[in-house]
Amino acid sequence: MPRERRLSPREAARLQGLPDLFDFGPQPDAATYKQMGNGVNTGVVWNVVKAHVERDHRLLSATEAGRRILAAVTTAPADPREALAAAVERGQSRYRSLQSGSLADETMELLVGDHS
């Protein structure tokens, strides 16, 4: 009889469609499992949105906001993985900047201004 084992947090993230470069930070594995269990697979969401837009094409065409939605969805890549990887990389980069304090310093400069 095969031995059973729990999925690793990385395996759970892969099942949800997250790229391997996604970093959960220092949170405990239990929090990661909870996030993955409460999440929805990115590919599923991507395809459901596309299907709804195709179904509601005529309705969306009637308004400017609807036409913007149509344009965004119809010009989007067929597969969300590349776009998701790029978005995750931007988010991870921002997080690292926050951790290092450089983004906080830049934000403070913008808020306070340079009075020299």
Side-chain angles (χ1 to χ4, degrees), residues 24-39:
F24 292 98
Q27 74 181 11
D29 286 351
T32 301
Y33 286 121
K34 186 173 185 176
Q35 278 183 288
M36 295 300 97
N38 289 332

Side-chain angles (χ1 to χ4, degrees), residues 8-114:
S8 71
R10 177 63 48 215
E11 290 167 328
R14 285 179 186 143
L15 286 171
Q16 289 293 36
L18 295 175
D20 282 344
L21 60 92
F22 190 87
D23 181 8
F24 292 98
Q27 74 181 11
D29 286 351
T32 301
Y33 286 121
K34 186 173 185 176
Q35 278 183 288
M36 295 300 97
N38 289 332
V40 179
N41 180 284
T42 56
V44 170
V45 172
W46 189 270
N47 287 295
V48 166
V49 168
K50 288 185 92 154
H52 279 274
V53 166
E54 287 171 14
R55 181 196 68 195
D56 297 334
H57 187 276
R58 195 180 60 166
L59 179 66
L60 290 167
S61 296
T63 66
E64 181 58 36
R67 287 188 291 276
R68 286 194 305 270
I69 292 169
L70 273 171
V73 173
T74 56
T75 60
D79 186 320
R81 287 178 284 199
E82 189 175 313
L84 181 60
V88 167
E89 179 55 41
R90 286 191 306 273
Q92 300 282 326
S93 177
R94 182 172 165 78
Y95 177 76
R96 287 188 295 274
S97 293
L98 282 171
Q99 294 302 96
S100 70
S102 64
L103 189 61
D105 293 342
E106 290 173 30
T107 304
M108 187 56 78
E109 245 178 67
L110 288 171
L111 292 173
V112 175
D114 187 6

